[in-house]
Amino acid sequence: MANTDLHMHSAYSLDGEHSIAGLIDIAHKQNVTTIAIADHNTVEGAIEAQNTEHPGLRIIPAIEIDAQYKGRTYHILGYNIDLHDPRYQQLHETVEKQDYHVGEAIMDKVEKLGIIVDKDAVRKLVNGMPIAAESIAEIILADPRNDNHPLLADFRPNGKRSDNPYVNFYWDVCAQDKPAYVPVTYMSVQEAIELIHSTGGKAVFAHPGNNLKSDYDLCREILDLGLDGIEACSSYHTPEQNTEFVKIAKEKNLFYTTGSDFHGKTKPAIQMGSVNPMDDPEDFQKQLPL
């Protein structure tokens, strides 16, 4: 296990399971000594973490911002930001307002695929928060009325997408270009970078292999928008992708990070501290300006 994990989510993210205290407890159990709680478009969890006793554990202030470039959505990590800058609260409120509409609309689109959605059960599960596709997946996969629906077969035990069934349902059914996708509007990647920089932080391209696969030219293009680093080693990457993204970081004189993107039950196959850096741990820490 790695002792540094710079990408994880708490229950302040729509698709996160654990409380801040729960994440800290897991970090201690996994012998992870440096973490960054990078919730989606909110710093509430990071602020709580800074105000929580956590001896022996370094917590880097962080956020993960949804941002768009040429009509596609990417994730930009911000590290060592000023958590109390009011623009992060504004970001949270803007995205959350949209999320309430989007979650309800996704349920309608999933129903049109012939899948039975117990909407009241989904709303009860999220307990007043906006609805994430992962929460919809949790309910529909547990509903026996959907047992024989062919679209859900891959997400059931022993199915080819059963390792992380809830988030895989999101990626395969509800993400961009998929049948239950609902259009969303986020700030541009350039705006996200500017926000992070203007609040004293470093901007990092999150899990590029998950979004770009092996389109390394597009990766370089996005990095040239002003990013400081790249999450080169990710639980979503193949070893070959990790190697190539580290190479790109060094080629462009940027730093690189490692992160599991641990969420808990929505991504059960992903464990905190499960992603090791490509370089020697000492060399990795030396190149990391965090």
Side-chain angles (χ1 to χ4, degrees):
M1 301 294 286
N3 63 11
T4 298
D5 191 334
L6 299 179
H7 190 167
M8 65 187 65
H9 294 265
S10 76
Y12 284 102
S13 290
L14 300 188
D15 52 358
E17 176 185 6
H18 297 284
S19 66
I20 298 302
L23 289 179
I24 290 171
D25 184 54
I26 293 169
H28 284 307
K29 288 177 179 175
Q30 299 284 76
N31 294 316
V32 178
T33 55
T34 300
I35 67 172
I37 299 169
D39 284 313
H40 295 293
N41 306 301
T42 180
V43 294
E44 291 182 53
I47 290 172
E48 182 181 333
Q50 294 299 310
N51 295 328
T52 301
E53 290 291 325
H54 44 84
L57 178 64
R58 181 182 176 221
I59 303 180
I60 297 172
I63 190 172
E64 184 175 22
I65 299 175
D66 288 276
Q68 294 176 323
Y69 179 67
K70 294 184 175 179
R72 309 298 299 181
T73 299
Y74 302 100
H75 294 173
I76 307 300
L77 292 157
Y79 294 110
N80 281 335
I81 56 174
D82 176 3
L83 299 174
H84 299 285
D85 189 291
R87 286 173 290 178
Y88 288 115
Q89 181 60 31
Q90 292 165 9
L91 167 65
H92 171 59
E93 291 171 0
T94 299
V95 173
E96 184 178 62
K97 183 178 180 181
Q98 182 175 228
D99 283 343
Y100 278 109
H101 161 74
V102 169
E104 293 287 338
I106 289 174
M107 288 199 293
D108 291 339
K109 286 208 167 187
V110 170
E111 280 189 323
K112 289 179 181 177
L113 298 173
I115 297 170
I116 295 171
V117 182
D118 185 337
K119 294 183 177 180
D120 287 337
V122 175
R123 295 183 188 113
K124 183 178 179 181
L125 177 65
V126 301
N127 193 28
M129 290 183 70
I131 294 164
E134 291 87 345
S135 299
I136 299 170
E138 185 172 351
I139 294 300
I140 64 176
L141 287 169
D143 192 327
R145 294 174 293 178
N146 293 316
D147 281 353
N148 297 314
H149 197 292
L151 190 59
L152 301 179
D154 286 347
F155 311 111
R156 299 198 180 281
N158 301 315
K160 63 182 180 181
R161 298 287 279 162
S162 61
D163 57 339
N164 292 308
Y166 302 153
V167 73
N168 285 340
F169 174 83
Y170 160 68
W171 284 328
D172 295 355
V173 180
C174 307
Q176 281 180 287
D177 304 322
K178 303 303 180 181
Y181 174 65
V182 175
V184 293
T185 301
Y186 298 116
M187 67 171 65
S188 69
V189 168
Q190 295 96 321
E191 288 171 325
I193 294 168
E194 182 182 345
L195 172 60
I196 291 164
H197 285 169
S198 67
T199 57
K202 300 287 188 182
V204 171
F205 190 4
H207 44 60
N210 190 42
N211 301 96
L212 305 176
K213 306 309 178 191
S214 296
D215 190 341
Y216 301 118
D217 288 338
L218 181 54
C219 178
R220 289 179 173 90
E221 182 180 323
I222 293 172
L223 289 172
D224 285 343
L225 297 174
L227 285 154
D228 304 294
I230 179 172
E231 188 178 53
C233 299
S234 167
S235 58
Y236 305 120
H237 296 172
T238 65
E240 293 75 20
Q241 286 175 322
N242 285 342
T243 299
E244 190 63 28
F245 288 127
V246 170
K247 178 182 171 184
I248 291 171
K250 293 177 178 180
E251 163 198 315
K252 289 192 164 291
N253 223 9
L254 306 176
F255 69 91
Y256 83 91
T257 65
T258 66
S260 66
D261 199 14
F262 176 72
H263 280 68
K265 67 179 180 179
T266 61
K267 301 179 182 181
I270 297 174
Q271 298 302 309
M272 188 188 300
S274 58
V275 180
N276 286 293
M278 292 295 299
D279 291 328
D280 176 271
E282 250 185 68
D283 292 336
F284 170 68
Q285 290 295 337
K286 282 178 185 175
Q287 63 88 47
L288 198 63
L290 302 176

